């Protein structure tokens, strides 16, 4: 086992302090993921959005005694962390990579490195599946393929493993050399090259050449020679290759691929022999991914019958993890992604980061493809669930049941999913957060179904990764000291307040804002601890505000008078002053100032946290002059506030559009709203954002309507020819705007646009599906990436804000992450 002392010679740096022997077992880069302080080494890494050094005090308090840092006075570090071993280095991330590279070099096994634009994760997961009968495989968890993810992946390598598969992804030149040093692959797979992530590179060619650096020392590189750019570059570099191709000379020449039912039959020649195999997929990407795997299996000399047998059992890799409401106030995290130890650890992290969701329960199957001896595996599983504070375990499978003695937390064991479902009593689950994680063969979707509430077929899917992407996009525009307030009013613009707030808390924004006290109370009751500003506090909510530590926006004198009258004693009470600089909605004007300051001076316990104003036309360039004028007014008014109060307050004026348009006026904080939810209000940078929500429903019935007949209320939908219509399960009571009636609105069914026919009803509406193959139960997209809110809003003369916030609360929200 590695000790901290040995570490100091592997990772060169300056030993600030070495006070106790300390084993290095767990590498930590994200303080939120601490599970066992003993044996943890924390790397304080400075990232684009965060700085690990900020979390040293907290980790020290939690018992971590080994740190790699980049900054800090030696004397201060020693004084603050007297019992910690501390190593100071130039660059903590590079130190982590160096350590991982050292670890990697201890092993002799075959190590496959995978890169390429698409398919990395699937090829990795499939290969692990395909090789698992013969090999103990260690692989990257999920898509841990970054500068940070790769070293953490490689750190998992242990003596009992016989085969390793790691993926590597880069976004700019210079990164791959580092990943190569960490992975030191002996074999390589280059999946393909697409146009994604082109930003960091000057050309496709450069991108290919950068990626090829992963393979500089491999014995053999697997790739498809039909990708001309890849093929040329590999040949130019003289990398020894093993190729497959349809149109080129290759080691495996594909003669024909035909679709038969749900399979693709591939005929190819290999070593002069003609062979045929069935791949259990029909889409092009899956076939390509499977052919990469085939190349590796042929190279490893597996018999053809064995290859076919294993291919037959290949299953699609679920790339997302869903969160959804369930019976009796329970909430499910449904993770069917994969089922190894690293995947379990990631899912458990997520569980831990949903505070106050009630009791934490895990339903877990046998772990397959773990690459560990059974007893060791289940010992680690037991430690993991205990360390993450799981309160109840339901374990399903013969293997995990065999090791029941290792589990110290309350646990029930079942031999099979059917066994569990037979004994399932819904009333035994109440107000619990339940992680459902099972290997494919256990068919845990049946368990998920048993837990899910009955709802009508309309759901709003919220992509949490897209939300984080958008958050980071706006963050990247902020100067380092500028704080970020995020608007989660109106049910987080329709997306679901608690879930969004929780994610924002996890990603450490500085402030949240809601419209009403009740919204704030709800967040507090769900464990949100961030400061929260309430923009429309009514006098009868003042006591509640203080009880829940919510900070009111104060915009008028009478309101402030009522507020101070409700104060009791000298307890500090935080408020925010809204200044009216031209919007003429709410806020103090300069005429109010004298009275305002007089009153505030009488109540020194009232602390003004911030002063702010709102721009009336930041989204439209025609109003730029007016916005500038508002900003100037605001600055001078806010200065007056500070001068009168005699202390600094947080000054903020920009909303989402303002952040894009007036980067020079970020002041102390900005207020992000619609942009987080995927709509770039100025329209200039829409491309940079990812759509967050997708509203979906289903077809209830399909009908034939004859020419001249009518459809729906008031007989507004007139069939001008024979038509096929589909009745879909969404109406104005779900928030589907009635102005979409009669051809104004469209929905997507099987990717095709279908116009509305007739009026939108309360719970349903009808669309024209003439000529399309549509049946009851088919999925309908009401809005989403292919049918944007921006377009739909234009069609009915409104703004995306309205469409988003109108989605009624009876529409179930499903949150997922990729
Ligand atoms: C809603 C709101 C915002 C956010 O506006 P977006 O246009 O959604 O970015 C900012 N400030 C105030 C006062 C708001 O009410």
């Amino acid at each position: 086992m590695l000790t901290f002392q040995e570490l100091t010679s592997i990772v060169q740096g300056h030993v600030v302090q070495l006070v106790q022997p300390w084993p290095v077992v767990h590498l930590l880069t994200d303080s939120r993921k601490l599970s066992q302080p003993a044996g943890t080494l924390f790397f304080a890494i400075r990232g684009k959005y965060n700085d690990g050094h900020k979390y040293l005090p907290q980790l020290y308090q939690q018992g971590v005694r080994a740190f790699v840092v980049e900054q800090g006075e030696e004397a201060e570090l020693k004084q603050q962390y007297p019992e910690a071993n501390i190593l100071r280095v130039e660059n903590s991330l590079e130190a982590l990579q160096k350590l991982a590279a050292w670890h990697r070099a201890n092993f002799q096994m075959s190590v496959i490195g995978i890169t390429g634009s698409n398919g990395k994760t699937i090829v990795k997961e499939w290969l692990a599946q395909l090789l698992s009968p013969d090999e103990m495989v260690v692989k990257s968890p999920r898509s841990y393929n970054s500068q940070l993810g790769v070293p953490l992946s490689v750190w998992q390598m242990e003596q009992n493993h016989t085969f390793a598969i790691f993926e590597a992804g880069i976004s700019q030149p210079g990164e791959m050399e580092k990943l190569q040093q960490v992975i030191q692959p002996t074999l390589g797979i280059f999946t393909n090259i697409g146009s994604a992530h082109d930003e960091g590179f000057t050309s496709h060619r450069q991108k290919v050449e950068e990626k090829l650096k992963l393979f500089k020392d491999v014995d053999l590189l697997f790739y498809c020679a039909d990708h001309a750019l890849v093929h040329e570059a590999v040949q130019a570099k003289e990398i020894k290759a093993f190729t497959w191709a349809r149109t080129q000379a290759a080691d495996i020449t594909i003669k024909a691929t035909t679709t038969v039912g749900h399979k693709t039959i591939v005929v190819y020649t290999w070593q002069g022999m003609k062979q045929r195999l069935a791949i259990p997929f029909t889409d092009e990407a899956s076939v390509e991914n499977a052919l990469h795997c085939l190349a590796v299996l042929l190279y490893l000399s597996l018999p053809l019958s064995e290859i076919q047998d294993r291919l037959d059992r290949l299953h699609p890799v679920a790339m997302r993890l869903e969160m959804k409401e369930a019976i009796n106030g329970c909430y499910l995290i449904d993770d069917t992604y994969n089922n190894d130890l690293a995947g379990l650890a990631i899912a458990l992290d997520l569980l831990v980061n949903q505070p106050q969701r009630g009791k934490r329960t895990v339903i877990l199957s046998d772990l397959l493809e773990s690459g560990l001896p059974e007893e060791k595996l289940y010992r680690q599983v037991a430690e993991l669930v205990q360390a993450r504070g799981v309160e109840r375990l339901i374990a399903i499978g013969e293997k995990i049941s065999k090791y029941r003695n290792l589990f110290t937390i309350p646990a029930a064991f079942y031999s099979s999913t059917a066994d569990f479902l037979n004994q399932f009593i819904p009333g035994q689950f109440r107000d619990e957060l339940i992680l459902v994680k099972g290997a494919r063969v256990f068919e845990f979707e049946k368990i998920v179904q048993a837990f899910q509430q009955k709802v009508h077929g309309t759901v709003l899917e919220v992509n949490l990764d897209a939300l984080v992407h958008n958050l980071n996009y706006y963050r990247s525009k902020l100067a380092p000291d500028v704080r970020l307030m995020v608007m989660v009013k109106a049910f987080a613009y329709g997306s679901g307040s608690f879930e969004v707030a929780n994610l924002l808390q996890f990603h450490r924004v500085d402030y949240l804002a809601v419209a009403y006290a009740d919204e704030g109370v709800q967040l507090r009751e769900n464990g949100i601890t961030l400061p929260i500003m309430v923009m429309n506090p009514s006098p009868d909510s003042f006591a509640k505000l203080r009880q829940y530590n919510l900070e009111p926006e104060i915009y008028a004198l009478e309101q402030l008078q009522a507020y101070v009258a409700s104060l009791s004693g000298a307890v500090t009470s935080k408020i925010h002053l809204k200044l009216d600089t031209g919007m003429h909605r709410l806020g103090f004007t300069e005429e109010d100032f004298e009275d305002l300051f007089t009153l505030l001076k009488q109540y020194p316990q009232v602390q003004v946290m911030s002063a702010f104003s709102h721009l009336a036309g930041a989204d439209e360039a025609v109003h730029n002059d007016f916005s500038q004028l508002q900003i100037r007014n605001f600055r001078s008014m806010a200065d007056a506030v500070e001068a009168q109060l005699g202390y600094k307050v947080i000054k903020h004026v920009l909303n989402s559009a303002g952040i894009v348009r007036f980067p020079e006026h970020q002041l102390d904080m900005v207020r992000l709203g619609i942009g987080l939810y995927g709509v770039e209000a100025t329209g200039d940078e829409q491309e940079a954002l990812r759509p967050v929500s997708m509203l979906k429903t289903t077809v209830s019935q399909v009908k034939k309507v004859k020419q001249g007949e009518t459809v729906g209320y008031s007989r507004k939908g007139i069939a001008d020819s024979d038509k096929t219509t589909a009745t879909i399960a969404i109406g104005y009571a779900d928030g589907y705007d009635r102005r979409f009636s009669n051809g104004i609105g469209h929905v997507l069914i099987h990717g095709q646009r279908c116009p509305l026919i007739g009026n939108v009803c309360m719970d349903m509406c009808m669309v024209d599906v003439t000529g399309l193959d549509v049946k009851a139960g088919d999925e309908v997209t009401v809005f989403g990436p292919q049918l944007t809110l921006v377009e739909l809003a234009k069609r009915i003369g409104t703004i995306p804000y309205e469409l988003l916030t109108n989605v009624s609360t009876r529409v179930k929200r499903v949150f997922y992450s990729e």
Side-chain angles (χ1 to χ4, degrees):
M1 193 182 293
L2 183 73
T3 64
F4 190 87
Q5 184 138 30
E6 288 161 336
L7 167 85
T8 61
S9 60
I10 297 163
V11 178
Q12 273 121 39
H14 169 67
V15 182
V16 174
Q17 185 164 271
L18 193 63
V19 285
Q20 58 175 311
W22 186 267
V24 176
V25 186
H26 312 289
L27 305 187
L28 186 70
T29 58
D30 182 338
S31 62
R32 297 165 295 196
K33 299 195 171 155
L34 177 68
S35 65
Q36 290 146 302
T40 290
L41 169 64
F42 179 68
F43 288 81
I45 292 173
R46 275 186 294 181
K48 206 157 143 200
Y49 311 113
N50 221 323
D51 182 351
H53 295 87
K54 283 204 297 215
Y55 307 102
L56 291 172
Q58 176 201 331
L59 288 166
Y60 186 76
Q61 206 206 344
Q62 290 171 299
V64 179
R65 293 289 179 268
F67 300 127
V68 173
V69 301
E70 287 175 14
Q71 58 192 42
E73 280 293 318
E74 184 156 345
E76 244 169 69
L77 287 168
K78 283 181 170 169
Q79 197 219 337
Q80 240 190 317
Y81 313 110
E83 290 171 26
N85 298 321
I86 304 172
L87 179 68
R88 196 170 63 209
V89 295
E90 282 281 299
N91 181 316
S92 301
L93 178 60
E94 279 173 19
L96 170 68
Q97 293 170 341
K98 235 186 226 171
L99 175 60
W102 169 85
H103 183 69
R104 159 67 185 95
N106 290 328
F107 300 95
Q108 292 301 324
M109 68 186 90
S110 294
V111 176
I112 298 192
I114 306 181
T115 193
S117 299
N118 299 304
K120 293 187 286 292
T121 303
I122 304 209
V123 170
K124 176 200 71 193
E125 294 292 332
W126 279 358
L127 263 183
Q129 256 183 61
L130 292 164
L131 296 174
S132 64
D134 321 306
E135 306 283 356
M136 294 292 220
V137 181
V138 55
K139 62 181 164 53
S140 330
R142 288 187 178 262
S143 45
Y144 269 36
N145 60 30
S146 65
Q147 297 290 309
L148 194 65
V150 167
L152 296 177
S153 301
V154 166
W155 185 251
Q156 303 174 99
M157 293 176 85
E158 289 194 35
Q159 284 310 335
N160 64 286
H161 291 123
T162 59
F163 208 103
I165 312 175
F166 300 119
E167 53 177 291
I170 56 169
S171 53
Q172 54 187 346
E175 291 183 337
M176 196 56 101
E177 281 100 327
K178 294 181 188 158
L179 299 185
Q180 190 277 337
Q181 285 163 19
V182 177
I183 299 176
Q184 302 158 37
T186 58
L187 297 170
I189 299 177
F190 199 133
T191 58
N192 55 40
I193 194 84
S195 53
H197 305 302
D198 244 339
E199 315 99 63
F201 301 93
T202 52
S203 69
H204 259 58
R205 174 96 207 179
Q206 186 202 21
K207 187 159 78 167
V208 171
E209 289 187 351
E210 283 296 326
K211 292 194 178 206
L212 274 182
K213 291 182 180 164
L214 178 60
F215 307 121
K216 83 177 177 51
D217 293 328
V218 296
D219 299 329
L220 206 58
L221 172 62
F222 299 91
Y223 69 96
C224 169
D226 293 331
H227 292 295
L229 262 182
V230 177
H231 194 41
E232 280 164 31
V234 173
Q235 288 185 318
K237 289 256 180 319
E238 300 182 2
I239 299 171
K240 194 154 177 272
F242 186 108
T243 55
W244 64 270
R246 292 185 165 88
T247 61
Q248 299 277 322
D251 296 293
I252 303 173
T253 318
I254 312 293
K255 296 291 181 196
T257 46
T258 35
T259 310
V260 178
H262 296 295
K263 296 191 173 195
T264 302
I265 308 296
V266 184
V267 180
Y268 61 91
T269 54
W270 148 248
Q271 294 185 332
M273 282 174 302
K274 196 165 182 178
Q275 298 180 338
R276 106 194 251 287
L277 271 175
I279 295 172
F281 299 95
T282 54
D283 64 290
E284 221 170 283
S286 298
V287 172
E288 175 172 63
N289 293 336
L291 289 172
H292 290 311
C293 295
L294 171 66
V296 176
L297 298 183
L298 287 174
Y299 162 75
L300 293 175
S301 312
L302 252 70
L304 196 59
S305 60
E306 183 65 27
I307 293 179
Q308 183 64 70
D309 201 44
R310 293 187 191 178
L311 279 177
D312 288 342
R313 279 179 278 141
L314 217 48
H315 52 71
V317 178
M319 300 292 281
R320 56 189 246 182
L321 178 148
E322 294 191 341
M323 292 181 254
K324 38 200 162 191
E325 283 171 8
I327 50 166
N328 305 336
C330 292
Y331 199 76
L332 289 187
I333 300 180
D334 176 9
D335 181 8
T336 48
Y337 179 78
N338 64 17
N339 164 260
D340 57 16
L341 206 55
L344 176 64
I346 293 174
L348 286 173
D349 282 337
L350 192 81
L351 192 74
V352 175
N353 285 307
Q354 307 280 325
Q356 276 83 54
R357 272 279 188 194
K359 190 164 156 182
R360 291 181 194 135
T361 299
V362 173
I363 305 183
L364 182 69
S365 77
D366 287 349
L367 268 70
L368 311 175
E369 304 156 21
S370 76
L372 287 176
E374 262 177 31
E375 172 156 4
K376 182 166 182 188
L377 170 67
Y378 291 106
R379 192 175 293 284
Q380 292 194 13
V381 170
E383 278 169 15
L384 204 55
V385 290
Q386 171 152 21
R388 295 294 201 278
V390 173
E391 287 149 280
R392 172 185 192 180
L393 175 73
I394 292 171
I396 299 179
E398 308 276 353
K399 297 220 172 84
I400 195 167
S401 299
K402 192 165 131 201
Y403 295 96
R404 64 175 69 204
N405 292 336
L406 299 174
F407 292 87
T408 48
I409 59 169
F413 294 83
Y414 299 86
S415 61
S416 68
T417 302
D419 186 20
F420 168 75
L421 287 172
N422 284 338
Q423 301 177 46
F424 177 60
I425 301 169
Q428 290 179 345
F429 295 85
R430 190 163 297 280
D431 301 327
E432 290 169 51
L433 175 63
I434 307 174
L435 170 67
V436 183
K437 189 152 181 56
R440 191 105 183 153
V441 289
F442 284 88
E443 300 182 320
F444 271 16
E445 57 276 12
K446 290 184 180 156
I447 296 180
V448 172
Q449 270 164 24
F451 271 102
Q452 272 220 271
Q453 280 170 325
K454 274 258 165 290
V455 280
H456 74 150
T458 304
V459 292
L460 184 77
E461 292 193 345
V462 180
N463 182 341
L464 297 176
D465 295 330
L467 211 85
V468 172
H469 169 92
N470 298 341
L471 176 69
N472 285 339
Y473 177 70
Y474 284 94
R475 273 194 164 159
S476 72
K477 293 185 165 290
L478 302 185
D481 294 331
V482 175
R483 287 186 241 199
L484 181 61
M485 172 183 269
V486 180
M487 316 311 278
V488 292
K489 60 192 180 193
F491 203 43
Y493 289 51
S495 300
S497 326
F498 165 69
E499 287 78 4
V500 172
N502 200 40
L503 193 75
L504 295 169
Q505 176 160 294
F506 183 73
H507 286 277
R508 300 177 165 132
V509 308
D510 301 286
Y511 251 100
L512 297 177
V514 294
Y516 295 101
D518 286 347
E519 294 178 275
V521 170
Q522 219 190 359
L523 292 180
R524 286 279 182 261
E525 286 183 337
N526 279 295
I528 302 298
T529 54
L530 285 175
I532 299 175
M533 176 172 92
V534 177
M535 295 193 291
N536 256 310
S538 60
D540 57 8
S541 70
F542 287 159
K544 226 181 207 172
L545 292 179
R546 277 189 296 276
Q547 185 190 344
Y548 286 90
N549 194 16
L550 303 169
E551 304 169 13
E553 163 185 327
I554 299 291
Y555 50 79
L557 275 175
E558 313 81 77
Q559 188 204 16
L560 182 57
Q561 277 152 355
Y563 187 69
V564 294
S566 78
L567 295 175
S568 55
V571 185
T572 309
S573 180
K574 296 172 178 175
I575 65 165
H576 299 261
L577 290 184
K578 176 74 164 285
L579 308 177
D580 184 357
T581 56
M583 173 94 168
H584 299 323
R585 188 169 66 177
L586 296 176
F588 293 97
T589 60
E590 267 167 333
E591 276 112 73
D592 304 316
F593 270 16
E594 207 181 318
D595 294 341
L596 170 65
F597 297 135
T598 310
L599 195 53
L600 283 175
K601 281 171 195 162
Q602 282 170 7
Y603 292 90
Q605 69 268 51
V606 174
Q607 186 188 0
V608 177
M609 291 303 294
S610 86
F612 71 106
S613 188
H614 196 35
L615 299 178
D619 48 343
E620 292 174 306
V622 291
H623 302 305
N624 278 0
D625 287 346
F626 186 74
S627 298
Q628 297 279 10
L629 178 72
Q630 277 196 283
I631 294 170
R632 271 199 308 281
N633 285 344
F634 172 68
R635 281 178 178 257
S636 87
M637 288 170 80
D639 287 347
V641 169
E642 279 184 338
Q644 285 292 332
L645 293 176
Y647 57 82
K648 290 268 168 217
V649 302
I650 302 171
K651 298 185 283 294
H652 47 117
V653 70
L654 300 182
N655 60 357
S656 307
I659 299 171
V660 171
R661 221 182 267 290
F662 307 108
E664 66 282 18
H665 297 301
Q666 295 172 354
L667 307 179
D668 303 317
M669 183 156 82
V670 298
R671 299 187 305 273
L672 177 61
I674 191 94
L676 180 70
Y677 309 96
V679 177
E680 203 285 282
T682 70
D684 293 346
E685 300 183 11
Q686 182 60 52
E687 295 301 302
L689 299 186
R690 291 182 60 190
V692 166
S693 45
M694 172 131 96
L695 181 59
K696 284 180 170 174
T697 186
T698 50
V699 173
S700 309
Q701 192 176 22
V702 175
K703 288 187 171 296
K704 298 278 179 210
V705 179
K706 292 243 156 56
Q707 181 173 10
E709 292 181 338
T710 64
V711 178
Y713 282 123
S714 310
R715 307 194 61 207
K716 287 288 186 207
I718 299 165
D720 49 12
S721 57
D722 288 357
K723 286 200 179 297
T724 312
T725 63
T727 303
I728 63 174
I730 188 166
Y732 54 79
D734 300 295
Y736 191 60
D737 203 292
R738 216 171 152 272
R739 287 170 286 182
F740 286 125
S741 298
N742 301 307
I744 305 294
H746 290 224
V747 299
L748 291 179
I749 304 182
H750 304 316
Q752 304 287 321
R753 278 175 176 250
C754 308
L756 270 276
I757 178 162
N759 283 332
V760 175
C761 313
M762 189 182 288
D763 309 306
M764 288 174 262
C765 58
M766 281 66 84
V767 297
D768 185 349
V769 295
T770 309
L772 301 179
D773 179 20
V774 172
K775 54 185 188 319
D778 283 358
E779 186 177 283
V780 180
T781 302
V782 180
F783 62 70
Q786 270 73 47
L787 189 58
T788 65
L789 284 163
V790 175
E791 180 202 324
L792 290 172
K794 266 206 198 100
R795 282 178 169 273
I796 56 169
T798 184
I799 48 175
Y801 298 73
E802 187 184 342
L803 296 188
L804 264 180
T805 53
N806 272 356
V807 177
S808 93
T809 45
R810 85 173 186 189
V811 173
K812 192 176 66 150
R813 269 73 176 165
V814 171
F815 301 87
Y816 69 95
S817 94
E818 282 151 7

